[in-house]
Structure formats: C-alpha cells, structure tokens
C-alpha cells in the first residue's frame, strides 16, 4: 500500500494502481468518457486530465506513486477537462429527450452534467457517412460517434475478434468494420462487446430503437423537428435546462423498463447480465457485473432470446389420441400421467420407469426430478445429457484428482504460461471463455497449442497446431508424458510429494514411444518433442478439452491421459494450471452435481453407500433403492428388451441428440407411456403420449452451475407464457399426485434442502447468491468456496492424486472401401445444438439459415463439388441430404457437419458405439460415403456470414495515430487555438 493526496486529502492506493481507479474508489467525481475499468486506458478523450507536480496528465494512464499530490479540480485541470469534452461535443448532437439511450447510463449525458457546460464552444460538424443498419442486431450512427475508441478496444483486445478499427489519418475518422466494409458483410460475429461499451447512442441495439423512450417511436421527421427545436433554444437556455427535461423523461422510463439479472441459457461458460424489458419486449442484454464475463457476451447470449416469445411456444398440455394431439387441462394431463406411472409401477415394478433430466433447466429442477425417481417411484433409472458429452471428462478427473470439475476459474486460465486445447472448437462452442485465452495470447505472451482435426479459429491463432488422426489423442498425450518422465523433464518433486501409483503408471506407458505415437497419430517426432518441451518450460499449463475428446469410444481414457499429463508435469495446485473440461450446456455441470445420474445422489454421493442413503432416507421419509440404475444409453436398450415401459423426460431433444437417432426414435416409439416436458413441440414430442408445456429460464427462478463450478442465481423476468409452468412446479405436482407431500413454494426452499443433505453445497444459500454474487463448489457451511481446487490437497482420503494406467484402444466405425470418409461433427457459433432456440431468432437465422457439411478443397476437386452442391451422406446407420461448404478448415477425406438441424440431423449417421466406462456415444467416430446429387444450390452460408469477412488485427485503438494528427493538441498545452466561450 502507498499513500497519495487527492485534492488535499490523503488516500490509500495499491502500488501499480491506475490513478483513475484510486480517484473513482474514493467516490470523487471526475469526467472520464473513454475509460472503462474492464478495458483499461484508451487515452482518446482527454477528459480525465488532472494536475500533479504542476503538470497535466491523463488519470487513466498515470500510475499512482507514493507521495503523489493530485488535483482534479484545479483551474488548470478543470479547464483541460472542459476543453476536451467540448471537442467531443463537436462530434455529437445532444438530443437526449428523444434518444433511446437516455436511460440514466449515457456517459455523454452524465459528463455534460458533471462538467456543467452550458453551451457548445466548438460547433457540431457532421460526417459524410450514412447510418449502417446492415447487421440484423444493431446499427452504427457515425454522426453521433465521438471516436472514443471503446468499441475498437473491446473488439481488438477483449473479444479479440479484431474487426473494428479507426482510420485516424482520414480527414473524417469513423469506426470501420474490416477496414471499410459494411457491418453486415464484415467479420463481425455480433458478440455485442462494442454496443455494451459504447458511451453514447452511436452503437445501439435495434431492439431498443423506437421502444426505450416515450418519444422515440415518433416518425423521423417529427424527431428531427424536435431535435431542431432543442438546437434552437440551446443558445438562450443553455444545456442545463435541456438536460433537466431529459432527466425527467429518463426517470419516467424507470417505471416501465425493468432490469432483471439472469444467467445465460446457452453454453456452460455461465455468463450473467441484466436483461432490459418493457412488458414482454426484450430491449437489450446488458453485461457488466457478471463474475465470469463482465462486459462480454456472444451472439446467442446478447441477441438469441427471441425464442422466449415465439408464436409456437407450448402453452397448453397435449394428450395423444390416435395419431394426433389435443389440448387438455392441467388436471386432466397430470391425472393421466400419475395414473399411468402408478399402473406401470404396480404391474412391472419401479425399474420399468425411467427419468431423464435437463441440462438446460435449473439445479433445483434436476434435484426434484431425481427425488421423484428415487423417493416417489423407487428407481435409480435417472440420467441427464452429460452422458452425451461430459461424463468421460468427469470420469478422468474422478480417477486422478478426485473432483469432476474445472480446476479453477475461467479467469484463472489467463494466468497460464501455456494453454493446450484438445478437441475443442473453443471460439465457437465457448466463445466468451475463448476471449480470455485470445486476450492472454495476444497481449500477455501466453503460448497456445491446439490439437484438432479442423483448423478452426483457435487453431489458426495457435503457436503450434497439431492435426492428429481421428481418435488418437490418447496416444500422443501418453507419449508426451512418457517422454517427460524419461528425459528428466517431469516435475519429480511434485510427483514424490503429491502423486501415487507412479510405478504402475510408468509400466503402462511402455508401448507409447515417440515413434509409435508418430506412426499412429500422423505427427512427426519433432513436433511431439516440441509439445513436451513447451509444457516443461511453461510457467503453468492449463489443458482445455471438450467433445472432440469425450465423444469417442476411449473418451474416459483420453480424459484420464490429459490429467495424467498435468500430474506428470506438476501442473495442478496453483494458479494458471489444471484441467478444464469445457461443459457444453448452461447447466450440464449442475444437472450431474445435483443427482440426475444413475449411480449418484446429489453431490456425487454413491447410491450404494449405506451411510449416504440413510441420511437421505431420514430426510425424505422413504426407503431408497441401492443399486445403480440405467443411464440414458441403457434405457434405449432396455426398451427394446421389453424391460423399460415408461419414460419421463424434460428439456432434452433426445430423439435427435442421442447417437444413432433412427434407432433411438424407434425405441421411444415402443414405450407404453412417454411424457415429454418442453417449451416447444420438439422432434422428441412426436413420440410422446403426453406433452407438458414448461417455462424457459426467463420465466422462473433458480440456479445454474457453470463449467467452472460456479453456482449463480437467475431471477424471473416474465410471467410464464399462457398456461405454461416452471418445470419444478410440474414435477412437484406429479410427485404429489403419486402420494408425495412436497410443499415447496419457491426454489430457494429446494436449495435449502439440497444444502442440508450435500456436503459439496453445504454453504450455498440464495442469500449468498443474491444479485451477481456466486459460489464455486465445494462450499463449506460458513460459505467459504474454492475458486481454485487442490491448493492444499487432492480430493482423496490421503490427499494425494493418482496416476491412472491406460492401454491403447482403437476407434470404432472406421473408414473402409465402402464408407471411405471420416465424418466429424460439432457446434457452430451462431446456433446451439439442433437449433430449437436459435432458429427462432430471426437475426441468427438470417446469418446462418441452415446446416451444411464442410468438404476440403482437394475432395471437392476430386468429386466435382462446389459450395452449395447437394450431397447424400450415408453411414452404416442412416443417411441425410445436405448442402456442401468447401473450406480449408477440413483436409483430405475428413468431413465436418454442425449439429444445427432438425431436418438433417447428423446423428442419423452416428452409431451406438460408446465409451466403455460411461456409455457416452462415440459421436466423433463415424464413417460415411458421399454421393453427389444432381442439383446445385446456393452456398449454405450467405455472404453476410462473418466467415467471409476479413479481420484487421491491430494493437487496440492505436491512439498514437490520433495524437499524430496535425489538428490534435493535448488539452491545456501551449499553442492550442483559443476556444471561444459565451
């Protein structure tokens, strides 16, 4: 700590702290237009000038030093601040009352009021540019742009999409997309960073335009006339009186505009933000205070919410009669469900029923679903979609370090000296997490290694990109571990102190020589040695992996190999190290955490542990089943065997997302009774006997748990649409009709019960999660959580980790003469999985209207294919018809197909092969043949898709170029042209 004196008062500061942060923390008001605490100093606006040692300096770019004496309100400082802001006003027309951004948070409005500038000293000068409305989600108005550069800095150095820039050498500078393209045809990914940090109305969500203000929906001629009136009265009245009127209008808005905190319902990153609404109209998403994302969002989190108000939302229960469905009352539908469940249980036993929870719904809802299965029906036939993606990663961590979750926080990844990404298209599947890696790599020298079949964005950015043969990651990972041990580059001190089973593990590595790995994986020995040296030399290593690892027949073993490598190299137990299995859905971590699994009660407490069972039995007042139930893969097999008669599924598109979809769909059709609970009539609903209308996240309260083990609250934004209901209420009503006496009035009561029974969440409460507060499990009774795991010991009785021996397993369903192409699959930035939510967002559909299959240029030339050619893909299990996209992201005879289609789902082509340990389907092991169809259509990606853009990377806003303009002078400096005042 050091001391600085500000306006005569001594204040504490941290050594190295920015002066502006010190001033802001004291509560003193100082103008600052371009500065944003989450972006850092940009130095374009000059409004934060202060005086120290007789000199004017920018507070945002000045580091506090011991004994510094600072004056924010000296004559020299105030004159410079006002001079700088007058320059800004020359780029901006103040028409606050009729501006949709007049919501109390406009930096220009608030700075004008703070500085008390009554008249515009430098006349406004228009720019020779039109508004740009070519993006479906937002518009740019260069006439209102003050050239602060916040948007550029956010795009270049926070999101690191590197689309925006300012050509400071132009006579009339403006913000540019791809150096001069329209927004719609640029590389802009519509992440919304630029809009979120814009200090005025230059960048604005289209959903705000004409909706936020009381006068803003008026026709443009009327608005222009009102603006002219304001301009006309300003010389006589001054800005003060005009701002009073706009502030009155702003306060009026507070009565009809709600700002509600929620948590994103898409991927597992766990972004949180305020959502602005007027009635059921979503004005905008405002990220700022989220512990994971701050100002960051992706296109889905920022703009992908139209589905909530979709016209085809389910709003009434449906009952099948013959081949059709009819609407029914809730009482009729729930009575039918409870009666059929009771009859099937009586006739066939409790294990003839199965329950599948949702990774899209809340922790409390997954908890109630497993409680319904176990405590009311009496079966452990309970699962969730982590079986389809993340169970192998969890298994690998269970084997080696004890907890099945990320080793640290997403922000902690930024502290790594090296990030290794294996089988994860992070920039598209987990975009906000990817920004943290991209930022550290660009700005802080972090090294990046990527192993993948495709050259996606993270692969292009990597210092080293590996392209191993499909299904061989376990080989090169084990070979690198063996090489580290043999060459003395392993962390022997760490191994001796913290790790068991080294000798047995070393024996298992005997086959994994560098030569064997090179032959098997198609990677040179030199490349593999380079990987090993980069790991050994790094200050800390984080390994990120996802479905490219887990969705293989050896998914658990490859995940184990990753953790083994981290142990061998000593990369646990400190910041910037550890294992990061990237969870796919918003609550796939939470669904498993809270007991929606066949072998675990909440908190990974085993169903066959008598002590655990007795605790739950005492609390629930029932006797619980003690043997492992069916997972969702085994459930389908049990239907075919005649053992499983009924299923209750909510919030999952099982008929499309499960592998070998034709087989699964036929199985679901054989059920005696099938209940599906969802917000839309999904493809899976076609097989149902009863369809129950549920509510999405914006219509209920509860908690989600993100990939970094972070538990967060979401608050209700809207009332449930029509007769739809939150899932937890529906589950409770079914349970009570079956004899339970649950009386939960709010999800907080459910979580109180969870915490009382689950040591992992003992200290979690809604009070401790209020607002943007969060907790990362395990959480002690006193509320102490663990953002970084394993700082004192590993999660085994002796506190030590365990190296786990592995053996080689070859991929299933490999190519042959008939099925000669390897088909890979995965996510797409714009859409989420099959697209049930995102296809109902008009702007996303405009950018990416359909699915496609990526074909390499060499294969396209060989087969006479061009982008837009229709092909038929046939596997051993099914076929689909799809258009091609020719791209060098894939190579040779490897294809890639995104998941986002209901009409041509990729899982019609995948097999029933699974990981031997977890039964996670081997989605990534699929072989197909390709037949070119005679018709050629347009490219499946329109020209307005960001993949056709050309980013313009640079080091932020490059403010030095502004300072080099002949018309720039630092405010208060000699030689500045005198500004006239009235």
């Amino acid at each position: 700590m050091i001391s600085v004196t500000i306006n005569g008062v001594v204040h504490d500061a941290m050594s190295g702290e920015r002066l502006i942060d010190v001033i802001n923390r004291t509560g003193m008001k100082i103008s600052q237009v371009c500065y944003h605490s989450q972006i850092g100093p940009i130095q374009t606006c000059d409004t934060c000038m202060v005086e120290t040692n007789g000199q004017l300096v920018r507070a945002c770019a000045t580091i506090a030093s011991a004994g510094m004496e600072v004056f924010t309100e000296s004559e020299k400082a105030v004159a410079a601040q006002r001079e700088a802001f007058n320059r800004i006003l020359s780029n901006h027309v103040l028409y606050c009352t009729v501006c949709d951004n007049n919501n109390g948070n406009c930096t220009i409005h608030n700075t004008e009021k703070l500085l008390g500038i009554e008249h515009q000293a430098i006349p406004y000068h228009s720019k020779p540019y039109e508004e740009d409305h070519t993006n479906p989600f937002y518009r740019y108005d260069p006439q209102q742009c003050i050239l602060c550069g916040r948007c550029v800095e956010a795009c270049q150095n926070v999101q690191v999409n590197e689309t925006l820039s300012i050509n400071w050498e132009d006579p009339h500078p403006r913000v540019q997309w791809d150096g001069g393209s329209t927004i719609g045809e640029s590389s802009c990914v519509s992440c919304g960073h630029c809009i979120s940090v814009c200090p005025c109305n230059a960048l604005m969500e289209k959903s705000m335009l004409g909706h936020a203000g009381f006068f803003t929906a008026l026709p443009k001629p009327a608005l222009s006339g009102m603006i002219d009136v304001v301009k006309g009265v300003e010389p006589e009245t001054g800005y003060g009186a005009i701002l009073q009127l706009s502030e009155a209008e702003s306060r009026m808005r507070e009565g009809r505009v709600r700002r509600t905190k929620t948590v994103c319902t898409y991927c597992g990153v766990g972004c949180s933000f305020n959502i602005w609404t007027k009635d059921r109209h979503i004005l905008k998403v405002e990220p700022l205070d989220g512990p994971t994302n701050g100002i960051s969002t992706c296109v889905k989190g920022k703009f992908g919410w139209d589905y909530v108000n979709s016209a085809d939302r389910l709003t009434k229960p449906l009952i099948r009669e013959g081949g059709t469905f009819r609407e029914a009352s809730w009482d009729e539908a729930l009575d039918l469900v409870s009666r059929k469940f009771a009859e099937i249980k009586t006739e066939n036993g409790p294990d003839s029923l199965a329950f599948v929870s949702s990774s899209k719904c809340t922790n409390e809802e997954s908890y109630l679903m497993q409680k319904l299965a176990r405590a009311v029906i009496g079966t452990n036939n309970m699962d969730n979609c982590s079986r389809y993606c993340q169970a192998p990663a969890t298994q690998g961590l269970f084997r080696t370090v004890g907890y099945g979750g990320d080793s640290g926080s997403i922000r902690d990844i930024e502290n790594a000296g090296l990030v290794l990404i294996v089988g994860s298209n992070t920039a598209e599947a987990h975009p906000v997490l990817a920004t943290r890696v991209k930022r550290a790599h660009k700005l802080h020298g972090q090294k990046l290694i990527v192993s993948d079949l495709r050259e996606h964005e993270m692969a292009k950015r990597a210092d080293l990109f590996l392209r191993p043969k499909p299904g061989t990651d376990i080989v090169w990972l084990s070979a690198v571990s063996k090489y580290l041990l043999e060459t003395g580059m392993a962390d022997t001190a760490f191994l001796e102190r913290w790790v068991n089973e080294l000798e047995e593990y070393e024996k298992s590595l005997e086959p994994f020589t560098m030569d064997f790995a090179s032959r098997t994986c198609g990677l040179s020995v030199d490349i593999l040695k380079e990987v090993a040296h980069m790991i050994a030399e790094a200050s800390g290593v984080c390994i990120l992996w996802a479905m490219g690892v887990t969705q293989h027949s050896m998914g658990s073993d490859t995940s184990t190999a990753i953790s083994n490598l981290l142990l061998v190299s000593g990369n646990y137990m400190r910041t910037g190290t550890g294992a990061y299995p990237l969870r796919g859905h918003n609550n796939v971590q939470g669904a498993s955490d809270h007991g929606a699994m066949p072998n675990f009660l909440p908190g990974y407490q085993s169903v066959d542990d008598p002590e655990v069972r007795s605790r739950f039995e005492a609390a629930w007042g029932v006797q619980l089943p003690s043997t492992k139930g069916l997972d969702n893969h085994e459930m389908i097999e049990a239907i075919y065997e005649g053992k499983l008669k009924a299923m209750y599924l909510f919030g999952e598109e099982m008929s499309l997302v499960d592998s070998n979809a034709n087989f699964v769909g036929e199985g679901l059709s054989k059920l005696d009774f099938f209940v599906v609970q969802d917000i839309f009539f999904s493809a899976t609903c076609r097989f149902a006997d009863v369809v129950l209308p549920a509510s999405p996240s914006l219509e209920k309260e509860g908690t989600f748990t993100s990939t970094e083990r972070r538990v967060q609250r979401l608050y209700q934004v809207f009332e449930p649409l029509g007769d739809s209901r939150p899932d937890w209420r529906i589950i409770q009503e079914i349970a009570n009709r079956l004899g339970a006496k649950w009386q939960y009035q709010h999800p907080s009561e459910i979580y109180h019960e969870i915490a009382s029974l689950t040591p992992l969440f003992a200290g979690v409460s809604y009070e401790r999660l209020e607002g943007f507060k969060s907790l990362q499990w395990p959480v002690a009774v006193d509320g102490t959580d663990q953002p970084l795991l394993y700082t004192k010991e590993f999660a085994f009785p002796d506190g030590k980790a365990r190296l786990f021996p592995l053996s080689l397993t070859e991929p299933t369903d490999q190519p042959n003469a008939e099925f000669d192409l390897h088909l890979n699959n995965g996510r797409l930035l714009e859409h989420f999985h099959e697209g049930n939510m995102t296809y109902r967002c008009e702007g996303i559909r405009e950018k990416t209207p359909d699915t496609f299959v990526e074909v390499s240029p060499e294969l396209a030339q060989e087969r006479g294919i061009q982008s837009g050619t229709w092909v038929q893909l046939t596997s051993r299990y099914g076929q689909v018809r799809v258009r091609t996209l020719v791209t060098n992201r894939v190579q040779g005879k490897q294809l890639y197909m995104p998941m986002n289609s209901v009409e041509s789902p990729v899982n019609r082509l995948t097999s029933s092969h699974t990981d031997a340990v977890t039964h996670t389907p081997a989605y990534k092991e699929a072989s197909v043949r390709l037949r070119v169809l005679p018709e050629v259509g347009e490219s499946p990606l329109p020209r307005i898709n960001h993949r056709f853009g050309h980013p313009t990377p640079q080091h932020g806003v490059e403010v030095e170029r502004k300072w080099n303009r002949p018309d720039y002078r630092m405010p208060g400096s000699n030689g500045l042209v005198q500004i006239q005042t009235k």
Side-chain angles (χ1 to χ4, degrees), residues 75 106 144 149 205 213 219 289 579 598 687 715 825 853 894 912:
E75 183 178 350
C106 175
Q144 291 297 88
E205 298 90 343
D289 298 314
F687 303 100
Y715 293 80
N825 63 79
V853 61
Q894 294 180 12
S912 294

Side-chain angles (χ1 to χ4, degrees), residues 85-254:
F85 192 67
N86 267 301
R87 295 180 188 175
I88 287 172
L89 289 182
S90 71
N91 280 315
H92 187 83
V93 181
L94 281 172
Y95 55 83
C96 306
T97 307
V98 292
C99 173
D100 282 297
N101 202 46
N102 183 37
N103 300 290
N105 62 344
C106 175
T107 304
I108 298 299
H109 177 288
N110 296 341
T111 305
E112 165 69 23
K113 181 181 179 181
L114 175 66
L115 294 176
I117 296 176
E118 287 292 327
H119 301 284
Q120 195 158 333
I122 305 175
Y124 168 77
H125 58 86
S126 64
K127 308 177 190 79
Y129 309 115
E130 299 294 323
E131 293 183 14
D132 191 332
H133 289 259
T134 58
N135 183 279
F137 304 111
Y138 69 96
R139 68 100 176 95
Y140 172 58
D141 183 356
Q143 302 302 327
Q144 291 297 88
C145 178
I146 62 171
L147 300 173
C148 69
R150 275 192 187 183
C151 59
V152 175
E153 200 76 16
C155 183
Q156 290 284 344
N157 289 346
V158 180
Q159 158 67 12
V160 200
N161 203 57
E162 301 172 316
T163 299
L164 272 59
S165 61
I166 296 175
N167 182 5
W168 291 112
E169 292 73 28
D170 195 287
H172 303 281
R174 57 155 288 173
V175 176
Q176 297 181 325
W177 279 253
D178 285 3
S181 170
T182 63
I183 303 174
E185 293 189 341
S186 74
S187 60
C188 172
V189 294
S190 302
C191 66
H193 284 65
C194 58
I195 315 162
S196 294
V197 301
C198 181
C200 58
N201 61 342
L203 286 160
M204 180 88 69
E205 298 90 343
K206 289 183 176 180
S207 52
M208 287 279 284
L209 298 175
H211 290 281
F214 282 87
F215 306 113
T216 53
L218 294 172
K220 193 163 187 177
L223 284 176
S224 298
M226 295 174 73
I227 294 170
D228 290 339
V229 169
V230 173
K231 290 180 184 176
V233 301
E234 180 265 324
E236 298 295 328
T237 63
Y239 280 130
I242 296 171
L243 293 186
Q244 287 180 7
L245 180 62
S246 70
E247 286 167 6
E249 196 263 356
S250 177
R251 284 191 292 271
M252 289 168 60
R253 297 185 188 190
E254 293 175 6

Side-chain angles (χ1 to χ4, degrees), residues 920-935:
T920 295
Y923 294 99
K924 302 298 188 281
E925 298 172 12
S927 300
V928 298
R929 62 172 178 261
L930 180 150
R931 182 166 70 89
V932 177
L933 300 176
E935 65 263 48

